[in-house]
Amino acid sequence: MERVVQITFFGLLLVLVTTLPNKDDWDIYSFHINSTVTSRYATTVITSRVANRMDQSKEIEFQVCIPKNAFISKFRMFIDGQAYDGVVKAKEQAQQQYSEAVSRGQSAGLVSSVGRTLEEFKTSVTVAAHKKVTFELTYEELLKRRLGKYELQIHARPMQLVRDFKVDVYIHEKAGINFMEVTGGLSTKALVNAITKTKTDKQAWVYFYPTEDQQRTCDSCGEQGMDGDLVIVYDVNRDIAFGDIRNSDGYFVHHFAPSNLPRIPKNVVFVIDQSGSMLGRKIQQTRTALIYILNDLAEDDYFGLITFNSALFYWKRELVQATKGNVDSAKNFARNINARGGTDINEAVLKGASMLNAHPREGSASILILLTDGDPTSGVTDIVTIQSNVRRAIADKFPLYCLGFGFDVNFEFLEKMSLQNNGAARRIYADSDSDLQLKGFYEEVAIPLLTNVTMTYTGGTNLTKTHFRQYYNGSEIVVAGQITDNNIETFNPEVVAISGTGKMRFFDKNNTIESIGTDSRIQRVWAYLTVKQLLEKELQLSGQEKDKMKQEALELSLKYSFVTPLTSMVVTKPEGENTDVLHKPKEEAGSAVRGGAGHLHHPSRVSVDMPYNPAVQMPYLPGLPPLLLRPRVAQFPLAPCRSTATVAVPVNPGPDRSVSSHRTPAAHTPLIESAMDLPADYSLLLLPTISTVPPSHRFLLKSENQSLPLCFDVPGPTRLKLLHYPNRELSVNGFLNSKANRGFKKIAIHLKDDQYIEIKPRGISVQRGQGVRHKTAQDLVAADITVIGRDKEFDVAVGDARMVILIHQNGGEEFLWPVLRQLPMDNNVEGILALKPAVYEEVQQTPSTKLKIKDQEIDVTRSSAVDYSIPFPPTLDCWFMSTESALQGQLEDFTVAKL
C-alpha cells in the first residue's frame, strides 16, 4: 500500500535539524543547473546525481532553493533506469493522505520560505547499496524588471565539494541584449575565474564551472563547498517605444517599457510608524532611509510627512514643494523621530490620503507610502474595517504602497490593502541593510513616466491585466492573452496613457509582431501571469467572487502543472516508500529567515579504488594529477566550415596501437580517386573546407575587448593537439571529421603512459594496457576523472580541468565540439584550446583592413563562422586571416601524428 508524505509550509520559524552522514556514505558526483531565458521567461532545471557508496541502503535527501516568484512545474527521480514523476493535484486531494502520514510519524518533505527571495524544496528517497539516484527539478518564472534591469538568481549550497558542478545559462532576447553582467556571492574571489560569458546582439551565455579548489574560496564558501547566489543581470534594447510582441499558436506576450519619456512631477506622502515596536535599529534605519529619500526629491515634487503611534504627528499639515529649505526642515523632523506608544494605522493612512486629495495637481502623479512593523493596536483595529475605510478614502485615484517591517506585521493585511488600491506590498527584512531595502523600494517608484496606462488589443481575448495606474522609470508592463481565432490580421494592439506632456498613444507602426511558430513558452507565460493575477484578485475578494477566482486559478495551475498556493505536487517513489506532497508557501507573518538557505544534503566523493563492474561497464581508472586553471580561454570557440574533397584514412588501427600521444604514424595516408581503390582497412570520408581543394575546417578565436573574433581555416582531416600538459602527463587530442561541416569525429584523453579514454557522440570507451572496454552507460566516475554523458554533451572533469564536449548534428550525423572551461595556469601548456583570447587593434580600413597583433600588421577580410562552442550555435561575423597569423606560429605545432 502506497504511503504519502506532504510537503507543506510553516508560519513559524522553520528550523531544519539534520545530521550530516559520514562523508564516505554519499557522493554528489554531479550537480548541474541549466537555465534558459527567452523573452524574460526563465525555465531552470536542477539535476543532481548521487551515489550511495555504502554496503546498505541509505536515505538520500535532495534539498535546493528556488526563487519565491517561481512555480515548480516538474520533478523526477531516476533509480535503476526507472523514472518516478511528480504529479500536480489540488491541495485538498492530498490533505487526508498527508494527515495520515503525519499521524504515523513519517517525516515530511517540504517547500518553505527561507529568505527574502528564496523558497526551499526538499524530498528524499531510499537508495540501495552501491546504487545511484538522479533528481531533476524544473521551475519557471517571469523575470521582473526593476531599476532598469532583470535579475536571474541561481542559488547553490550543495553542502559538499562537487567534482562535476556546473551552471549553464542561455538568454535569447528578440529585442537585443543591451548589457549583461554577473554578480552575487558566487562571483567573488577565486570563483570569478570560474565564470565565462559570451554575448551577441540577441543571445548571451554564462558558464560557471568551479573546480573543487575554487568551491572553497568565495566569500561564503568553505570545506563544505559553496553557499551563495549567482545573479545574472541584464537588460534589453528599447528602440521601439511600443515594445515587442511575440505570438505563437494563438497566444501573445507584449512587453512594454518605453524610455526617453519626461518624468512626471509627483506628490508623495510618507506615513511612518513610530510605535514602541520600532524601537532600536528599526527606527534608526528608518530615519537614515527617510533622510536619503528626502534628499532625492526633485524641486518640482510636492511631499508630506506623517508619523504615528497612538497619535499622529505632522511635519506639515499639507503638501509643500520640495525646495531646499523645506527638504532641510523635513530632514530635521526625521532625525527626531522616536519610537513609543501604540499603532493607529487607520487614522494615519486616512490622513495621508486626505492630504493628497486636498492637493490635486494636473500633470502630476500622486503616491501614498505606508511603513509599519506591527498590527493595528489603537483606534480602529479591525483590519476589514481599515481596508474598507482606506479604499473609500483613496477612491482609485492613486496607489498605496505598504512596507511591512519585519515579521511581527500582518503581511496579508498590508498586501490586500495595497492591491485594493492599485499598489503593492513589500516586506522589509529586519537586518543590517534595512535602510538600503527602503531606499531601493523608493527608487523603484521615484520617477513616474506615465499614468493611467490602458492596453487595448482588438482581436484579443482572455487578456491578463490591461490597466495600470502608473508606469515608473526602470520598470516594465507585461500583458499576455490569446488572439481570437489565431488571426493575426485582425489583431490590433494599442497603448493609451498620460505623460508629463499630455495624452499619448503607442501603436505598432511597422507591424513588428513576431510570429515564432510553435513555442509553448508563450502560452506558459500567459498561464503564469494569469494564475499570479487571479491569486491577487482572490486575496482582495470575498464570497462567490473569491471562490470563482480561486477555482479559475486552480484549474490553470493543474492544467500547466504549476505548484501554487492552491496545488500540491505528489512525488511518487518506489514501492514501499513515502509519496511526498509538495506545497508552495505564502509570504506570511513568521516566514522568518532561518540560518542559511537550502542545501543539497548528501556529502562526500567517489572511492579511489573503483573496480570494474560488468553490470554497469564501469572500469577502474587510477587518478590524474591535479591541474591549476584559468577560465578566460573558456571563451574560445571552434567552428568548422564547408565544401568537400576525398581522402582515405585508417578506421581501425588495431588493438596493438599505443596509447601514447607521441607515437609516430604506422603508415602514410594514401590519396584515392574512387571507392573501388579503397583498401580493406580504410574508409572513405568527406572533408569540410572553404574551397574544393584542399578540404578545411574553420575555427574561431574569441577576442579580448573587441567586438569581432578572429577566424582561420585548418586543412583536414587533421589530428589536432587540443591540450597538452607535459608536467602532468595529460594530453587531449581531437580528430576532425572529414565530412563537410561535421566538427570532431572523436576526442581522446591520455592519462600518463598507459591509459586512454576515447569519446565519441554515442559514448565513451576506456583502454588500460592492451584491452579496450566499451562503456554502454554514459557516466564514468573514478578517482580523479568524471565523464558525465547527457543528451547533447559530455562533461569532463580531470583533476582541476573542466571541459565540455558538445554534441551537434548536421544532416542526421552527430559530431563533437570541445570547449575548455578551465585552463591550467602552468605556462608549459599548449594546444588549440590553450590559445589566449586575441588582442588586436584595427589600424587600416581602406583600401583593405589590417589588424595589428603583437606589433605585426596583418591583412584580414570580414567573414563569418558558426560558433559550435554554443549548444545552439549562432553564426558570428569574424576577421578572417591566415592560419599562421591567428596561431602566431605554424599549424604543425598544433597537430599530432596519432590520437
Side-chain angles (χ1 to χ4, degrees):
M1 179 176 171
E2 191 179 58
R3 293 181 293 171
V4 176
V5 176
Q6 181 169 358
I7 290 187
T8 186
F9 57 86
F10 302 96
L12 301 175
L13 176 66
L14 173 66
V15 181
L16 179 64
V17 181
T18 58
T19 302
L20 289 177
N22 183 286
K23 67 178 184 178
D24 293 326
D25 291 356
W26 305 338
D27 174 41
I28 310 173
Y29 63 90
S30 176
F31 184 58
H32 288 192
I33 301 175
N34 188 291
S35 189
T36 300
V37 185
T38 303
S39 294
R40 295 70 138 182
Y41 193 68
T43 301
T44 301
V45 181
I46 301 175
T47 305
S48 177
R49 300 187 180 195
V50 189
N52 175 16
R53 296 180 50 220
M54 299 296 290
D55 293 328
Q56 60 188 18
S57 297
K58 285 289 183 180
E59 185 179 23
I60 292 181
E61 189 174 277
F62 175 69
Q63 188 169 333
V64 294
C65 285
I66 66 173
K68 284 184 178 179
N69 200 40
F71 288 153
I72 293 172
S73 58
K74 187 176 181 181
F75 178 72
R76 309 185 78 186
M77 292 186 296
F78 299 88
I79 305 173
D80 283 339
Q82 177 69 43
Y84 300 89
D85 293 297
V87 179
V88 175
K89 297 182 178 180
K91 184 177 292 186
E92 289 77 6
Q93 289 183 256
Q95 189 62 45
Q96 183 176 355
Q97 292 173 307
Y98 168 67
S99 299
E100 291 174 356
V102 171
S103 69
R104 292 193 296 267
Q106 296 171 354
S107 60
L110 49 91
V111 175
S112 56
S113 178
V114 296
R116 301 179 187 179
T117 58
L118 295 171
E119 291 171 355
E120 184 178 77
F121 173 95
K122 172 188 167 186
T123 189
S124 63
V125 67
T126 300
V127 178
H130 301 291
K131 294 292 185 179
K132 300 176 183 178
V133 58
T134 296
F135 299 100
E136 184 179 281
L137 175 73
T138 301
Y139 63 86
E140 304 174 34
E141 61 176 322
L142 181 65
L143 303 182
K144 188 171 183 178
R145 188 171 185 249
R146 290 190 174 99
L147 301 176
K149 58 191 177 185
Y150 306 95
E151 293 188 354
L152 176 68
Q153 181 186 18
I154 295 173
H155 185 81
R157 189 189 178 199
M159 288 299 290
Q160 74 159 78
L161 302 175
V162 181
R163 185 183 305 165
D164 178 36
F165 185 98
K166 58 178 283 191
V167 176
D168 291 328
V169 177
Y170 169 64
I171 301 171
H172 181 213
E173 294 290 352
K174 168 208 168 187
I177 299 173
N178 182 274
F179 74 90
M180 182 190 70
E181 60 187 21
V182 180
T183 64
L186 297 183
S187 63
T188 58
K189 296 184 178 177
L191 283 182
V192 172
N193 297 325
I195 300 170
T196 58
K197 299 178 291 184
T198 301
K199 186 177 85 69
T200 62
D201 289 342
K202 298 183 179 182
Q203 299 178 89
W205 297 263
V206 176
Y207 304 108
F208 177 57
Y209 286 44
T211 65
E212 290 181 273
D213 285 341
Q214 290 171 328
Q215 291 172 37
R216 297 183 175 96
T217 53
C218 72
D219 286 343
S220 55
C221 298
E223 288 303 314
Q224 289 187 330
M226 296 177 295
D227 179 8
D229 296 321
L230 194 71
V231 183
I232 290 83
V233 182
Y234 77 98
D235 196 18
V236 302
N237 297 326
R238 306 194 181 274
D239 301 327
I240 303 174
F242 178 72
D244 61 272
I245 296 183
R246 292 163 59 90
N247 83 89
S248 175
D249 292 334
Y251 289 84
F252 76 89
V253 177
H254 182 191
H255 294 269
F256 177 73
S259 55
N260 301 319
L261 296 173
R263 63 176 293 277
I264 298 177
K266 63 181 178 290
N267 314 305
V268 57
V269 173
F270 304 98
V271 181
I272 307 297
D273 185 349
Q274 64 168 74
S275 62
S277 57
M278 291 283 288
L279 188 65
R281 188 164 68 173
K282 286 183 184 178
I283 202 68
Q284 294 172 6
Q285 292 173 322
T286 299
R287 288 194 293 256
T288 300
L290 189 54
I291 291 170
Y292 168 87
I293 290 169
L294 291 170
N295 275 326
D296 190 64
L297 293 172
E299 193 162 353
D300 58 354
D301 290 337
Y302 280 68
F303 73 105
L305 178 56
I306 300 172
T307 64
F308 70 95
N309 47 37
S310 300
L312 269 61
F313 305 90
Y314 297 91
W315 167 64
K316 303 282 186 183
R317 289 186 173 270
E318 67 282 325
L319 291 184
V320 299
Q321 189 174 355
T323 61
K324 184 179 185 305
N326 284 335
V327 168
D328 289 342
S329 174
K331 285 159 58 179
N332 287 331
F333 178 85
R335 292 187 184 100
N336 293 300
I337 298 174
N338 294 307
R340 61 188 181 277
T343 309
D344 190 348
I345 292 176
N346 180 73
E347 189 66 17
V349 177
L350 293 183
K351 289 300 183 183
S354 175
M355 190 179 290
L356 287 171
N357 285 328
H359 193 90
R361 268 201 309 159
E362 187 175 353
S364 66
S366 295
I367 303 170
L368 181 59
I369 299 176
L370 166 68
L371 170 65
T372 182
D373 77 331
D375 295 339
T377 60
S378 299
V380 178
T381 58
D382 179 70
I383 60 176
V384 175
T385 303
I386 295 173
Q387 289 166 343
S388 177
N389 291 342
V390 170
R391 192 170 189 178
R392 186 166 51 252
I394 292 177
D396 208 35
K397 293 193 287 281
F398 46 81
L400 167 66
Y401 295 99
C402 297
L403 305 179
F405 208 141
F407 285 94
D408 294 328
V409 68
N410 184 338
F411 191 81
E412 186 171 312
F413 156 61
L414 297 181
E415 185 178 28
K416 181 173 181 178
M417 189 163 63
S418 61
L419 290 173
Q420 287 175 334
N421 295 281
N422 301 295
R426 180 80 59 85
R427 189 185 296 279
I428 302 300
Y429 292 85
D431 210 336
S432 59
D433 67 341
S434 297
D435 56 329
L436 298 179
Q437 296 175 55
L438 290 168
K439 295 173 188 177
F441 168 79
Y442 171 75
E443 288 171 354
E444 291 182 36
V445 300
I447 306 177
L449 297 181
L450 296 172
T451 61
N452 294 316
V453 182
T454 300
M455 323 278 283
T456 60
Y457 301 90
T458 304
T461 185
N462 291 328
L463 305 173
T464 59
K465 182 179 177 181
T466 58
H467 182 74
F468 302 85
R469 174 59 58 187
Q470 294 178 359
Y471 163 69
Y472 300 101
N473 186 46
S475 66
E476 181 177 60
I477 292 173
V478 183
V479 177
Q482 293 177 259
I483 299 174
T484 305
D485 299 327
N486 197 15
N487 188 350
I488 195 68
E489 300 299 325
T490 60
F491 182 66
N492 184 28
E494 183 181 13
V495 181
V496 178
I498 306 299
S499 73
T501 58
K503 187 174 182 179
M504 295 188 69
R505 291 176 64 245
F506 302 85
F507 52 92
D508 190 13
K509 298 179 181 179
N510 302 315
N511 192 26
T512 56
I513 299 174
E514 182 187 18
S515 297
I516 54 176
T518 299
D519 186 348
S520 62
R521 285 170 296 192
I522 302 297
Q523 184 174 347
R524 296 187 73 82
V525 173
W526 169 81
Y528 175 95
L529 276 176
T530 302
V531 170
K532 288 277 187 182
Q533 293 172 10
L534 285 171
L535 292 173
E536 289 179 354
K537 291 179 183 178
E538 185 261 345
L539 178 64
Q540 302 173 50
L541 299 172
S542 60
Q544 292 184 350
E545 289 184 327
K546 182 182 184 73
D547 293 340
K548 181 183 177 183
M549 295 297 105
K550 183 177 180 179
Q551 184 61 31
E552 290 182 15
L554 173 60
E555 290 175 357
L556 278 178
S557 299
L558 293 173
K559 180 178 179 180
Y560 292 92
S561 296
F562 290 149
V563 178
T564 71
L566 304 177
T567 58
S568 303
M569 177 174 282
V570 178
V571 181
T572 306
K573 297 184 181 181
E575 185 176 355
E577 290 202 49
N578 301 336
T579 296
D580 288 344
V581 182
L582 322 181
H583 285 188
K584 184 176 180 65
K586 296 179 181 178
E587 177 71 72
E588 292 188 342
S591 301
V593 184
R594 62 181 179 81
H599 63 277
L600 275 166
H601 183 91
H602 28 251
S604 201
R605 58 183 183 274
V606 175
S607 171
V608 173
D609 54 343
M610 180 178 287
Y612 173 69
N613 184 339
V616 295
Q617 295 291 300
M618 182 68 71
Y620 164 79
L621 283 177
L624 288 180
L627 307 177
L628 297 176
L629 309 166
R630 281 190 302 254
R632 52 181 175 172
V633 178
Q635 300 179 17
F636 170 74
L638 310 175
C641 198
R642 306 199 168 193
S643 229
T644 64
T646 56
V647 71
V649 295
V651 291
N652 185 10
D656 60 339
R657 70 177 177 187
S658 168
V659 295
S660 170
S661 61
H662 309 290
R663 180 179 173 183
T664 58
H668 68 283
T669 301
L671 225 51
I672 62 170
E673 297 183 2
S674 111
M676 299 297 293
D677 301 324
L678 193 64
D681 58 344
Y682 280 74
S683 174
L684 187 64
L685 302 174
L686 294 178
L687 294 181
T689 182
I690 299 178
S691 57
T692 55
V693 178
S696 64
H697 289 262
R698 178 157 293 186
F699 290 79
L700 280 166
L701 176 58
K702 290 292 180 68
S703 59
E704 193 170 88
N705 301 323
Q706 277 86 12
S707 58
L708 290 185
L710 308 183
C711 54
F712 58 95
D713 288 342
V714 174
T718 304
R719 296 172 180 85
L720 282 179
K721 180 193 301 181
L722 298 177
L723 182 68
H724 281 200
Y725 193 5
N727 290 351
R728 299 296 185 181
E729 299 181 78
L730 169 67
S731 298
V732 182
N733 303 319
F735 180 54
L736 285 170
N737 202 318
S738 56
K739 292 187 180 180
N741 221 14
R742 297 295 197 275
F744 287 85
K745 184 176 181 179
K746 54 187 174 182
I747 291 173
I749 301 173
H750 295 267
L751 311 179
K752 300 185 177 178
D753 290 331
D754 64 343
Q755 296 167 60
Y756 174 87
I757 300 171
E758 187 173 274
I759 300 177
K760 295 182 179 180
R762 293 297 180 183
I764 62 175
S765 62
V766 179
Q767 177 177 317
R768 188 178 181 217
Q770 295 298 315
V772 177
R773 293 167 178 163
H774 293 276
K775 279 185 57 64
T776 56
Q778 291 287 309
D779 293 354
L780 171 63
V781 181
D784 287 308
I785 183 167
T786 302
V787 181
I788 305 296
R790 306 187 185 278
D791 288 342
K792 296 297 181 183
E793 67 183 58
F794 292 94
D795 299 299
V796 182
V798 183
D800 282 347
R802 297 297 305 274
M803 179 184 294
V804 173
I805 301 175
L806 298 171
I807 303 173
H808 293 291
Q809 191 174 78
N810 190 340
E813 182 176 341
E814 293 180 324
F815 62 90
L816 303 174
W817 204 259
V819 187
L820 192 66
R821 299 298 185 207
Q822 294 284 347
L823 176 70
M825 297 178 66
D826 194 309
N827 291 327
N828 191 25
V829 178
E830 56 186 21
I832 288 287
L833 296 182
L835 291 172
K836 295 181 179 180
V839 179
Y840 65 80
E841 177 185 357
E842 291 185 40
V843 294
Q844 181 178 336
Q845 294 185 341
T846 55
S848 62
T849 302
K850 290 182 181 293
L851 301 184
K852 187 175 182 180
I853 302 177
K854 294 183 178 179
D855 298 325
Q856 178 185 3
E857 292 189 4
I858 301 168
D859 289 318
V860 296
T861 57
R862 192 165 181 130
S863 187
S864 64
V866 178
D867 186 355
Y868 280 114
S869 72
I870 302 298
F872 301 96
T875 298
L876 304 181
D877 288 343
C878 59
W879 291 120
F880 178 76
M881 61 178 57
S882 69
T883 304
E884 289 73 19
S885 296
L887 297 177
Q888 294 290 292
Q890 299 299 311
L891 178 61
E892 289 74 15
D893 297 333
F894 294 87
T895 61
V896 293
K898 299 286 288 185
L899 283 185

